[in-house]
Amino acid sequence: MALAHRFADSGASVCIGDIHTERGSEAEQALAAKATAKFLTCDVQRESDLQAAADWLLAEWGGVDVVINNAGGASAGAIDEFSMADWQWVMDINLLGVVRGCKVFSALMKNQGSGHIVNIASLAGLIHPPRMGSYCATKAAVVALSESMSLELDGDNIAVSVVCPGFFRTNLSESVRASDSSAQVMTEKLVSKAKVGAEEIADAVYTGIVQRDYYIIPQADARRNWRMKRWLPFKRYRQMMLKSTAGMMRRG
């Protein structure tokens, strides 16, 4: 919601989609105090919901300038313990939910001749700690999808950005699926003890969108960690990661 409020503060009309009707209606009222706002019930696991949202935007607002694919769920667990059902759940939301949004709204933007698609991934899509294989895999796939799209859609005047924040204080842990209690606690701590909150992240992401940056990595420490992975010899980087994630390797 912080990003929706940041756009509303800039004077943009904001349409939000969520599966939680009561929460979405409350958010619409709060946004409407600042700008034109609309809430639509939308489940990213159903392409028809996203198509209905696109149809509404075209009919009521004449199209859309920026689409942010933001729905996601958290997951954690060792590779031999995390169930296939949970793999399918997190893939369907974190990856295929983004794919559905990109599919539907890229078609709309091609027809209108412009647009900007923003996919919310994670630093976990660039740096892959232990016991988070399912989450990392989905977010890395979103990064790959976004890069491919940025090349594919360039001739259609459609910009693509991928947002890769480190953990920050948000309600992500509400949706976490974990293979055991220690993985659950680990994920909740990573979120609740983060140094920055959603509003600070939203400010940085908004600036990146306005500048039409491809990679948007809001936190300085996240950018530093990504540079180290890219520039250090892999053996040295791996040893550094083993040391820094030793606690995540142990079960509680």
Side-chain angles (χ1 to χ4, degrees):
M1 276 306 300
L3 194 51
H5 277 282
R6 183 63 185 84
F7 271 91
D9 289 340
S10 75
S13 298
V14 178
C15 178
I16 56 173
D18 202 318
I19 58 174
H20 300 289
T21 303
E22 183 176 350
R23 186 181 295 178
S25 297
E26 292 173 355
E28 179 184 320
Q29 292 178 16
L31 289 165
K34 303 177 179 182
T36 301
K38 177 66 177 179
F39 164 68
L40 298 173
T41 302
C42 186
D43 184 347
V44 298
Q45 293 179 282
R46 294 199 291 260
E47 184 180 344
S48 59
D49 281 14
L50 290 156
Q51 186 62 60
D55 293 344
W56 187 93
L57 286 163
L58 183 60
E60 300 298 327
W61 290 358
V64 61
D65 297 314
V66 179
V67 169
I68 301 173
N69 291 305
N70 188 44
S75 61
I79 187 62
D80 58 333
E81 297 173 349
F82 198 71
S83 74
M84 290 308 301
D86 285 340
W87 266 98
Q88 290 168 346
W89 171 81
V90 73
M91 291 287 286
D92 199 31
I93 295 173
N94 287 8
L95 173 57
L96 294 181
V98 173
V99 171
R100 294 181 188 104
C102 291
K103 178 177 183 292
V104 167
F105 284 100
S106 63
L108 185 157
M109 290 177 177
K110 283 182 178 181
N111 287 333
Q112 69 185 17
S114 65
H116 191 165
I117 295 174
V118 181
N119 294 328
I120 307 297
S122 167
L123 186 63
L126 303 172
I127 295 173
H128 316 306
R131 306 196 74 202
M132 293 184 65
S134 57
Y135 187 74
C136 291
T138 61
K139 295 302 185 178
V142 170
V143 174
L145 170 69
S146 301
E147 181 176 339
S148 179
M149 286 174 48
S150 72
L151 301 172
E152 177 181 337
L153 300 176
D154 183 70
D156 296 296
N157 195 30
I158 300 172
V160 177
S161 297
V162 62
V163 181
C164 298
F167 284 103
F168 61 95
R169 294 188 302 277
T170 183
N171 63 355
L172 181 67
S173 59
E174 290 180 6
S175 64
V176 66
R177 290 200 182 188
S179 62
D180 57 82
S181 59
S182 65
Q184 176 94 22
V185 170
M186 175 194 76
T187 305
E188 291 174 352
K189 284 183 177 179
L190 286 170
V191 174
S192 64
K193 294 188 176 182
K195 295 179 181 178
V196 298
E199 290 74 17
E200 296 162 274
I201 297 296
D203 283 339
V205 173
Y206 176 82
T207 299
I209 293 172
V210 170
Q211 295 174 169
R212 297 171 80 86
D213 294 336
Y214 171 68
Y215 281 114
I216 301 175
I217 306 176
Q219 298 111 308
D221 58 346
R223 294 192 294 272
R224 182 175 61 251
N225 289 338
W226 186 45
R227 284 195 295 270
M228 284 194 293
K229 179 177 181 178
R230 293 162 63 202
W231 296 346
L232 286 176
F234 181 73
K235 183 179 290 187
R236 182 177 174 188
Y237 170 78
R238 184 175 183 275
Q239 289 300 316
M240 182 188 72
M241 284 292 290
L242 285 170
K243 182 178 179 179
S244 66
T245 62
M248 296 174 70
M249 296 287 287
R250 295 191 296 269
R251 289 191 58 176

